[in-house]
Amino acid sequence: MALAYDPLFITSDKSSMDVPSTPPPMVLTQDELKRIAAYKAVDFVESGMVLGLGTGSTAKHAVARIGELLRQGKLSNIVGIPTSKKTQEQALSLGIPLSDLDAHPVIDLSIDGADEVDPHLNLVKGRGGSLLREKMIEGASKKFVVIVDETKMVKHIGGSKLALPVEVVPFCWKFTAEKLREVMEGYGCEAKLRLGGEEGKAFVTDNGNYIVDMYLEKDMGDLGAVSDAILRLPGVVEHGMFLDMASTVIVAGELGVKIKNKHSSCC
């Protein structure tokens, strides 16, 4: 069912200028904005596609919409590749056929949310804890559409002052966290183990690992160099910077929806 408050939108395939659409007739909640962005992303989905199904509060709306369109017969022959156990459970409950990267090493389209988006469409993901599987699946995608509300747009990665997640093996995690802090020290970094288990125990990812959350005070500058330095540390599995991966970012705000495309976007 189409949303009654779904606003018009302006694409920006060839221009860095984003012109806001006609304002919606009501003040929308953050969850409603996420749903609008998710529905726009599902417009990219075609029958017969292999889809990467994202994780989190925004991506769940896209997964629900795909399930709805399948039930209505408007989509068919869809295969979903879930990025987490939680998404797998949601997709199965909606009747979306599922597979994995072993059977489908090339994915037509992935749809997922993000925790931060910078002016070059670099992302921070993983505050929900699924960064490794998300990066594997979305990295195998021909097209990766990111859906966010306007609060996720930042001037630089780490600009929200919220966590940059790093997945680490549990073995001697304190040692790994300290090495991470040393690598990131020049950016005012604080490293904290993510909690979330029973009785204040460590949060455990779907892969059986821990997450160290990095809180940054300064712009990291050369993100590629920082990425390489993090990944060279023994004990690090993956980090939450998704660099040069997003094809399109759909941003829902109170003035409507903007579509930002790779190499032609500006915050």
Side-chain angles (χ1 to χ4, degrees):
M1 180 181 298
L3 295 176
Y5 48 76
D6 187 12
L8 300 172
F9 66 94
I10 301 295
T11 61
S12 56
D13 289 350
K14 299 181 179 180
S15 171
S16 63
M17 297 296 292
D18 287 308
V19 182
S21 66
T22 303
M26 65 181 75
V27 176
L28 304 177
T29 67
Q30 188 177 31
D31 192 60
E32 287 168 337
L33 292 174
K34 291 177 179 180
R35 185 176 313 211
I36 290 170
Y39 276 41
K40 288 297 183 189
V42 176
D43 286 345
F44 288 91
V45 177
E46 299 176 2
S47 294
M49 279 187 166
V50 177
L51 299 176
L53 305 177
T55 297
S57 60
T58 307
K60 72 176 183 180
H61 291 303
V63 176
R65 179 61 170 166
I66 291 166
E68 180 183 20
L69 293 175
L70 282 170
R71 289 194 304 274
Q72 294 173 352
K74 296 179 180 178
L75 287 176
S76 61
N77 299 319
I78 294 295
V79 176
I81 313 292
T83 57
S84 67
K85 292 178 180 178
K86 187 172 183 179
T87 298
Q88 179 179 352
E89 292 170 358
Q90 181 193 11
L92 287 173
S93 74
L94 295 169
I96 300 174
L98 299 181
S99 188
D100 58 30
L101 282 175
D102 290 335
H104 298 278
V106 178
I107 295 173
D108 295 305
L109 169 68
S110 284
I111 299 174
D112 205 353
D115 301 307
E116 291 184 2
V117 181
D118 80 0
H120 305 287
L121 305 192
N122 295 312
L123 317 173
V124 169
K125 291 178 50 57
R127 290 179 189 154
S130 302
L131 63 148
L132 175 58
R133 296 190 187 191
E134 288 172 340
K135 190 169 285 190
M136 291 176 67
I137 290 167
E138 288 149 12
S141 302
K142 295 177 183 177
K143 186 175 183 67
F144 176 25
V145 177
V146 178
I147 45 180
V148 295
D149 65 86
E150 60 189 354
T151 67
K152 302 302 190 296
M153 307 305 293
V154 296
K155 293 182 179 179
H156 59 83
I157 291 299
S160 69
K161 300 295 192 293
L162 299 175
L164 168 60
V166 181
E167 187 162 343
V168 303
V169 297
F171 175 74
C172 295
W173 69 264
K174 291 182 182 179
F175 172 85
T176 306
E178 176 58 22
K179 292 299 181 182
L180 281 167
R181 190 198 62 76
E182 290 174 3
V183 165
M184 308 291 280
E185 189 171 18
Y187 313 112
C189 176
E190 183 179 6
K192 293 182 178 180
L193 179 70
R194 183 178 299 183
L195 304 179
E198 295 180 1
E199 301 177 354
K201 294 182 180 179
F203 172 88
V204 179
T205 71
D206 286 348
N207 315 299
N209 296 317
Y210 291 171
I211 288 182
V212 174
D213 286 323
M214 316 292 288
Y215 297 87
L216 309 173
E217 293 295 330
K218 300 177 182 178
D219 186 345
M220 290 180 286
D222 187 342
L223 298 178
V226 175
S227 170
D228 291 344
I230 292 174
L231 293 175
R232 282 197 298 267
L233 293 175
V236 168
V237 178
E238 189 54 84
H239 60 68
M241 288 188 290
F242 285 49
L243 307 180
D244 199 30
M245 289 179 61
S247 307
T248 298
V249 176
I250 300 176
V251 187
E254 291 298 337
L255 295 180
V257 173
K258 300 174 186 176
I259 298 183
K260 297 174 176 289
N261 291 283
K262 191 174 181 178
H263 306 314
S264 63
S265 299
C266 173
C267 288

